[in-house]
């Protein structure tokens, strides 16, 4: 064997050994880029959840289920869960219906108007918390501009912005932009040719929506509905700013137990948070089951 052949083999062997660390780095490079996100996810998601779960079983530095027994025995806490669920479910249903009609209409308008509406929706979805509550007080408060105008024309007699009806209005308001942004891509799956073909076969408009459009949209509608419920269940700033904590929803109860002036019971607040997370997890599992059935039905 010639010396040139040996040298070429040695060079190729050396190059292959040098390329091994390079290939290993290419393999672990995505993990290196992912590590900062994983660190933040642990610090701000997993670690607080673990802390809440552990402290929910702590009573006077001892392990106990007394916090969960108090939740079961307290009608006030159960009322907070009931009010939160009532507001979340109904505001999600109304917001989802309005958003679905809006998105369906947006598909029929010009591109500029559609882009303008989507941009406004994106902006209004970030308008929440204390500024949103202040805007509602100015417009629909006891001496709000729209309230006085409607009373002047005799259209309303008594509207309490600071009660259940007012909270429902503010919940629906911040649910609609989020629902529009989530449903807008899903409606692109509908083809105008489907409706034209259904019309040629003698189907009416409502038959097209019931038998063709809604089965296609049902996974997106169900998923959006669950996200809206979770969004409403976690609402705190708007509710507190509007009612000063006088309306009993579960997020206000948790905050009062953590930062209240009279009674500080962070372990009970942790137990309530665990029950809230379990409730949302249960709703999410139901949503996944319904989506799986809807996908099976559409195949």
């Amino acid at each position: 064997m010639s010396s040139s052949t040996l040298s070429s083999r040695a060079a190729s062997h050396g190059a292959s050994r040098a390329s091994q660390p390079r290939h290993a780095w290419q393999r672990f490079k995505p993990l290196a880029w992912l590590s900062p996100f994983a660190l933040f996810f642990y610090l701000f998601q997993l670690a607080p959840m673990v802390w809440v779960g552990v402290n929910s079983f702590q009573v006077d530095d001892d392990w106990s289920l007394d916090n969960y027994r108090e939740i079961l025995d307290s009608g006030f806490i159960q009322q907070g869960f009931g009010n939160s669920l009532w507001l979340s479910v109904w505001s999600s249903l109304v917001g989802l219906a309005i958003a679905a009609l809006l998105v369906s209409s947006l598909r029929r308008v010009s591109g500029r108007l559609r882009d303008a509406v989507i941009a406004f929706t994106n902006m209004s979805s970030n308008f929440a918390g204390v500024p949103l509550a202040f805007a509602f007080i100015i417009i629909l408060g006891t001496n709000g501009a729209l309230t006085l105008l409607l009373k002047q024309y005799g259209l309303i007699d008594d509207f309490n912005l600071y009660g259940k009806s007012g909270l429902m209005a503010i919940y629906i308001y911040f649910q609609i932009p989020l629902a529009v942004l989530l449903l807008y891509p899903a409606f692109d799956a509908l083809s105008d040719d489907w409706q034209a073909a259904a019309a040629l076969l003698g189907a009416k408009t409502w038959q097209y929506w019931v038998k063709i459009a809604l089965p296609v949209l049902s996974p997106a509608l169900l998923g959006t509905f669950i996200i809206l419920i979770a969004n409403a269940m976690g609402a705190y700033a708007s509710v507190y700013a509007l009612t000063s904590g006088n309306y009993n929803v579960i997020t206000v109860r948790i905050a009062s137990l953590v930062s209240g002036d009279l009674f500080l019971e962070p372990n009970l607040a942790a137990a309530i948070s665990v029950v809230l997370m379990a409730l949302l997890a249960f709703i999410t599992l139901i949503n996944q089951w319904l989506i799986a059935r809807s996908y099976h039905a559409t195949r």
Side-chain angles (χ1 to χ4, degrees), residues 81 84-85 233 273-285:
F81 274 107
S84 294
L85 278 173
M233 288 289 290
S273 301
V274 170
V275 174
L276 181 59
M277 288 188 292
L279 179 62
L280 293 176
F282 176 71
I283 295 174
T284 303
L285 289 176

Side-chain angles (χ1 to χ4, degrees), residues 174-188:
F174 67 68
Q175 295 280 52
I176 293 174
L178 178 60
V180 169
L181 294 177
L182 292 174
L183 288 178
Y184 183 74
F187 272 76
D188 286 339

Side-chain angles (χ1 to χ4, degrees), residues 1 3-18:
M1 185 178 295
S3 59
S4 60
T5 304
L6 291 174
S7 61
S8 61
R9 287 185 177 182
S12 62
H13 181 67
S16 62
R17 293 184 60 183

Side-chain angles (χ1 to χ4, degrees), residues 25 27 46 64 92 102 132 142 147 174 179 191 201 216 239 281 289:
W25 165 245
R27 184 183 306 171
L46 295 181
S64 175
S92 299
L102 177 58
L132 178 61
T142 305
T147 303
F174 67 68
S191 176
L201 293 174
V216 174
V239 180
W289 179 73

Side-chain angles (χ1 to χ4, degrees), residues 81-100:
F81 274 107
N83 289 338
S84 294
L85 278 173
W86 188 89
L87 288 169
S88 300
V89 172
W90 284 106
S91 65
S92 299
L93 285 174
V94 176
L96 184 65
I98 296 174

Side-chain angles (χ1 to χ4, degrees), residues 54-74:
V54 171
N55 281 271
S56 66
F57 295 98
Q58 293 285 325
V59 177
D60 297 330
D61 296 330
D62 293 326
W63 296 97
S64 175
L65 295 174
D66 288 345
N67 292 322
Y68 293 97
R69 293 193 187 99
E70 185 171 352
I71 293 174
L72 295 176
D73 295 335
S74 175

Side-chain angles (χ1 to χ4, degrees), residues 4 38 100 157 212-213:
S4 60
D157 293 329
I212 299 176

Side-chain angles (χ1 to χ4, degrees), residues 101-185:
L101 292 174
L102 177 58
V103 174
S104 178
S105 301
L106 282 177
R107 299 180 68 245
R108 307 298 179 184
V109 300
S110 62
R112 289 186 177 181
L113 179 59
R114 182 169 59 249
D115 294 342
V117 173
I118 293 299
F120 175 78
T121 304
N122 191 17
M123 180 187 66
S124 59
S125 64
N126 297 306
F127 184 64
V130 177
L132 178 61
F134 181 67
F136 265 75
I137 291 172
I138 294 175
I139 298 173
L140 292 172
T142 305
N143 295 313
L146 186 58
T147 303
L148 296 177
L149 184 63
L150 294 177
K151 285 183 177 179
Q152 180 180 352
Y153 288 99
L155 297 177
I156 61 172
D157 293 329
D158 185 23
F159 175 75
N160 183 15
L161 178 64
Y162 311 103
K164 181 178 286 188
S165 58
L167 286 175
M168 177 60 69
I170 198 171
Y171 270 61
I172 291 173
Y173 178 85
F174 67 68
Q175 295 280 52
I176 293 174
L178 178 60
V180 169
L181 294 177
L182 292 174
L183 288 178
Y184 183 74

